[in-house]
Amino acid sequence: MRLIGAGSHVGIDYLIAILFAIGPSVAGFAGRQATFAYVLAAVLVILGLFTRAPLGMIKSVRFPLHGAVELALAILVLILPWLANFSAGVHSRNFFVLIALLMLAIWFMTDFRGIRDRRASP
């Protein structure tokens, strides 16, 4: 069952962007790993701002496309430690894997087609 609507999902994306932004200092890693985290934070914020959702500002990206982009990002984040050759760094590897699993869980719980909202309407 899809429990999360568009507005809640974009709000959660902003929170995940904050996790990416503070992650390097909290988890204790720097270098390329930290740069990837900061870039991913910016990408999530920009994606949220451009999405046609209650918390979007520019509203040019349809919510199903937002979902497709975010699924691709979550898979990229999951394999990034091995692609970018920083999997030996336990803190950064675990950080990226956990954030990717969180993103995938949120993705699976989100109603990207709007069926949840249509059922709630009188």
Side-chain angles (χ1 to χ4, degrees):
M1 177 176 222
R2 305 290 177 136
L3 304 171
I4 301 172
S8 299
H9 179 92
V10 174
I12 292 169
D13 281 352
Y14 292 145
L15 293 175
I16 292 174
I18 291 170
L19 287 176
F20 270 123
I22 66 172
S25 61
V26 172
F29 59 89
R32 286 183 311 138
Q33 301 93 309
T35 303
F36 284 127
Y38 300 139
V39 168
L40 287 164
V43 167
L44 279 176
V45 168
I46 291 168
L47 182 61
L49 289 174
F50 277 84
T51 299
R52 288 184 200 164
L55 294 177
M57 298 293 206
I58 299 170
K59 299 182 189 276
S60 60
V61 175
R62 290 183 33 234
F63 195 54
L65 178 59
H66 172 108
V69 170
E70 193 162 300
L71 178 61
L73 275 175
I75 293 169
L76 174 68
V77 170
L78 184 63
I79 62 174
L80 190 60
W82 291 273
L83 280 178
N85 200 24
F86 62 85
S87 62
V90 175
H91 297 294
S92 58
R93 181 194 64 217
N94 291 349
F95 172 79
F96 280 91
V97 169
L98 288 173
I99 293 292
L101 293 175
L102 175 64
M103 289 174 71
L104 288 169
I106 298 300
W107 187 88
F108 278 110
M109 290 188 287
T110 300
D111 176 22
F112 288 104
R113 296 182 299 162
I115 294 171
R116 178 182 164 275
D117 295 332
R118 279 183 255 156
R119 287 185 190 156
S121 299

PDB file of all heavy atoms in Angstrom, residues 35-49:
ATOM      1  N   THR A  35      32.161  15.189  -0.916  1.00  0.00           N
ATOM      2  CA  THR A  35      31.730  15.940  -2.100  1.00  0.00           C
ATOM      3  C   THR A  35      30.510  15.287  -2.734  1.00  0.00           C
ATOM      4  O   THR A  35      29.555  15.978  -3.111  1.00  0.00           O
ATOM      5  CB  THR A  35      32.882  16.036  -3.117  1.00  0.00           C
ATOM      6  OG1 THR A  35      34.004  16.653  -2.481  1.00  0.00           O
ATOM      7  CG2 THR A  35      32.470  16.847  -4.332  1.00  0.00           C
ATOM      8  N   PHE A  36      30.528  13.964  -2.861  1.00  0.00           N
ATOM      9  CA  PHE A  36      29.358  13.254  -3.396  1.00  0.00           C
ATOM     10  C   PHE A  36      28.128  13.511  -2.535  1.00  0.00           C
ATOM     11  O   PHE A  36      27.027  13.724  -3.052  1.00  0.00           O
ATOM     12  CB  PHE A  36      29.614  11.749  -3.478  1.00  0.00           C
ATOM     13  CG  PHE A  36      30.492  11.329  -4.626  1.00  0.00           C
ATOM     14  CD1 PHE A  36      31.610  10.549  -4.400  1.00  0.00           C
ATOM     15  CD2 PHE A  36      30.192  11.704  -5.928  1.00  0.00           C
ATOM     16  CE1 PHE A  36      32.419  10.147  -5.447  1.00  0.00           C
ATOM     17  CE2 PHE A  36      31.000  11.305  -6.986  1.00  0.00           C
ATOM     18  CZ  PHE A  36      32.121  10.522  -6.743  1.00  0.00           C
ATOM     19  N   ALA A  37      28.293  13.496  -1.223  1.00  0.00           N
ATOM     20  CA  ALA A  37      27.163  13.727  -0.320  1.00  0.00           C
ATOM     21  C   ALA A  37      26.592  15.130  -0.511  1.00  0.00           C
ATOM     22  O   ALA A  37      25.366  15.307  -0.575  1.00  0.00           O
ATOM     23  CB  ALA A  37      27.585  13.510   1.130  1.00  0.00           C
ATOM     24  N   TYR A  38      27.455  16.126  -0.640  1.00  0.00           N
ATOM     25  CA  TYR A  38      26.994  17.497  -0.823  1.00  0.00           C
ATOM     26  C   TYR A  38      26.294  17.664  -2.175  1.00  0.00           C
ATOM     27  O   TYR A  38      25.269  18.350  -2.273  1.00  0.00           O
ATOM     28  CB  TYR A  38      28.144  18.489  -0.704  1.00  0.00           C
ATOM     29  CG  TYR A  38      28.840  18.454   0.642  1.00  0.00           C
ATOM     30  CD1 TYR A  38      30.219  18.535   0.741  1.00  0.00           C
ATOM     31  CD2 TYR A  38      28.112  18.314   1.826  1.00  0.00           C
ATOM     32  CE1 TYR A  38      30.856  18.503   1.973  1.00  0.00           C
ATOM     33  CE2 TYR A  38      28.740  18.271   3.053  1.00  0.00           C
ATOM     34  CZ  TYR A  38      30.107  18.364   3.125  1.00  0.00           C
ATOM     35  OH  TYR A  38      30.729  18.322   4.346  1.00  0.00           O
ATOM     36  N   VAL A  39      26.832  17.055  -3.211  1.00  0.00           N
ATOM     37  CA  VAL A  39      26.213  17.136  -4.538  1.00  0.00           C
ATOM     38  C   VAL A  39      24.845  16.460  -4.520  1.00  0.00           C
ATOM     39  O   VAL A  39      23.869  16.986  -5.064  1.00  0.00           O
ATOM     40  CB  VAL A  39      27.134  16.517  -5.609  1.00  0.00           C
ATOM     41  CG1 VAL A  39      26.405  16.326  -6.933  1.00  0.00           C
ATOM     42  CG2 VAL A  39      28.369  17.386  -5.804  1.00  0.00           C
ATOM     43  N   LEU A  40      24.745  15.298  -3.876  1.00  0.00           N
ATOM     44  CA  LEU A  40      23.464  14.598  -3.795  1.00  0.00           C
ATOM     45  C   LEU A  40      22.446  15.411  -2.988  1.00  0.00           C
ATOM     46  O   LEU A  40      21.258  15.418  -3.321  1.00  0.00           O
ATOM     47  CB  LEU A  40      23.651  13.210  -3.209  1.00  0.00           C
ATOM     48  CG  LEU A  40      24.320  12.217  -4.169  1.00  0.00           C
ATOM     49  CD1 LEU A  40      24.830  10.997  -3.409  1.00  0.00           C
ATOM     50  CD2 LEU A  40      23.368  11.812  -5.271  1.00  0.00           C
ATOM     51  N   ALA A  41      22.886  16.096  -1.957  1.00  0.00           N
ATOM     52  CA  ALA A  41      21.992  16.969  -1.197  1.00  0.00           C
ATOM     53  C   ALA A  41      21.432  18.058  -2.102  1.00  0.00           C
ATOM     54  O   ALA A  41      20.224  18.323  -2.106  1.00  0.00           O
ATOM     55  CB  ALA A  41      22.729  17.586  -0.011  1.00  0.00           C
ATOM     56  N   ALA A  42      22.301  18.678  -2.886  1.00  0.00           N
ATOM     57  CA  ALA A  42      21.860  19.733  -3.796  1.00  0.00           C
ATOM     58  C   ALA A  42      20.901  19.190  -4.853  1.00  0.00           C
ATOM     59  O   ALA A  42      19.887  19.830  -5.167  1.00  0.00           O
ATOM     60  CB  ALA A  42      23.072  20.384  -4.463  1.00  0.00           C
ATOM     61  N   VAL A  43      21.194  18.006  -5.389  1.00  0.00           N
ATOM     62  CA  VAL A  43      20.328  17.405  -6.407  1.00  0.00           C
ATOM     63  C   VAL A  43      18.937  17.142  -5.836  1.00  0.00           C
ATOM     64  O   VAL A  43      17.925  17.436  -6.482  1.00  0.00           O
ATOM     65  CB  VAL A  43      20.954  16.113  -6.969  1.00  0.00           C
ATOM     66  CG1 VAL A  43      19.955  15.316  -7.783  1.00  0.00           C
ATOM     67  CG2 VAL A  43      22.182  16.441  -7.807  1.00  0.00           C
ATOM     68  N   LEU A  44      18.859  16.621  -4.625  1.00  0.00           N
ATOM     69  CA  LEU A  44      17.556  16.353  -4.016  1.00  0.00           C
ATOM     70  C   LEU A  44      16.767  17.634  -3.761  1.00  0.00           C
ATOM     71  O   LEU A  44      15.552  17.675  -3.969  1.00  0.00           O
ATOM     72  CB  LEU A  44      17.719  15.571  -2.713  1.00  0.00           C
ATOM     73  CG  LEU A  44      17.915  14.071  -2.862  1.00  0.00           C
ATOM     74  CD1 LEU A  44      18.169  13.431  -1.504  1.00  0.00           C
ATOM     75  CD2 LEU A  44      16.717  13.428  -3.525  1.00  0.00           C
ATOM     76  N   VAL A  45      17.440  18.671  -3.313  1.00  0.00           N
ATOM     77  CA  VAL A  45      16.757  19.948  -3.079  1.00  0.00           C
ATOM     78  C   VAL A  45      16.254  20.522  -4.398  1.00  0.00           C
ATOM     79  O   VAL A  45      15.095  20.960  -4.505  1.00  0.00           O
ATOM     80  CB  VAL A  45      17.674  20.954  -2.350  1.00  0.00           C
ATOM     81  CG1 VAL A  45      17.085  22.351  -2.368  1.00  0.00           C
ATOM     82  CG2 VAL A  45      17.918  20.500  -0.924  1.00  0.00           C
ATOM     83  N   ILE A  46      17.083  20.511  -5.415  1.00  0.00           N
ATOM     84  CA  ILE A  46      16.683  21.051  -6.721  1.00  0.00           C
ATOM     85  C   ILE A  46      15.529  20.229  -7.300  1.00  0.00           C
ATOM     86  O   ILE A  46      14.560  20.797  -7.814  1.00  0.00           O
ATOM     87  CB  ILE A  46      17.892  21.088  -7.677  1.00  0.00           C
ATOM     88  CG1 ILE A  46      18.885  22.154  -7.200  1.00  0.00           C
ATOM     89  CG2 ILE A  46      17.456  21.339  -9.118  1.00  0.00           C
ATOM     90  CD1 ILE A  46      20.233  22.104  -7.879  1.00  0.00           C
ATOM     91  N   LEU A  47      15.610  18.906  -7.197  1.00  0.00           N
ATOM     92  CA  LEU A  47      14.527  18.058  -7.689  1.00  0.00           C
ATOM     93  C   LEU A  47      13.223  18.372  -6.958  1.00  0.00           C
ATOM     94  O   LEU A  47      12.164  18.485  -7.580  1.00  0.00           O
ATOM     95  CB  LEU A  47      14.891  16.582  -7.524  1.00  0.00           C
ATOM     96  CG  LEU A  47      13.879  15.564  -8.050  1.00  0.00           C
ATOM     97  CD1 LEU A  47      13.672  15.719  -9.550  1.00  0.00           C
ATOM     98  CD2 LEU A  47      14.344  14.155  -7.715  1.00  0.00           C
ATOM     99  N   GLY A  48      13.295  18.538  -5.651  1.00  0.00           N
ATOM    100  CA  GLY A  48      12.102  18.878  -4.880  1.00  0.00           C
ATOM    101  C   GLY A  48      11.533  20.234  -5.259  1.00  0.00           C
ATOM    102  O   GLY A  48      10.317  20.396  -5.378  1.00  0.00           O
ATOM    103  N   LEU A  49      12.394  21.209  -5.463  1.00  0.00           N
ATOM    104  CA  LEU A  49      11.936  22.556  -5.819  1.00  0.00           C
ATOM    105  C   LEU A  49      11.253  22.594  -7.184  1.00  0.00           C
ATOM    106  O   LEU A  49      10.334  23.369  -7.405  1.00  0.00           O
ATOM    107  CB  LEU A  49      13.108  23.534  -5.806  1.00  0.00           C
ATOM    108  CG  LEU A  49      13.681  23.879  -4.431  1.00  0.00           C
ATOM    109  CD1 LEU A  49      14.935  24.732  -4.582  1.00  0.00           C
ATOM    110  CD2 LEU A  49      12.652  24.578  -3.577  1.00  0.00           C
TER     111      LEU A  49
END
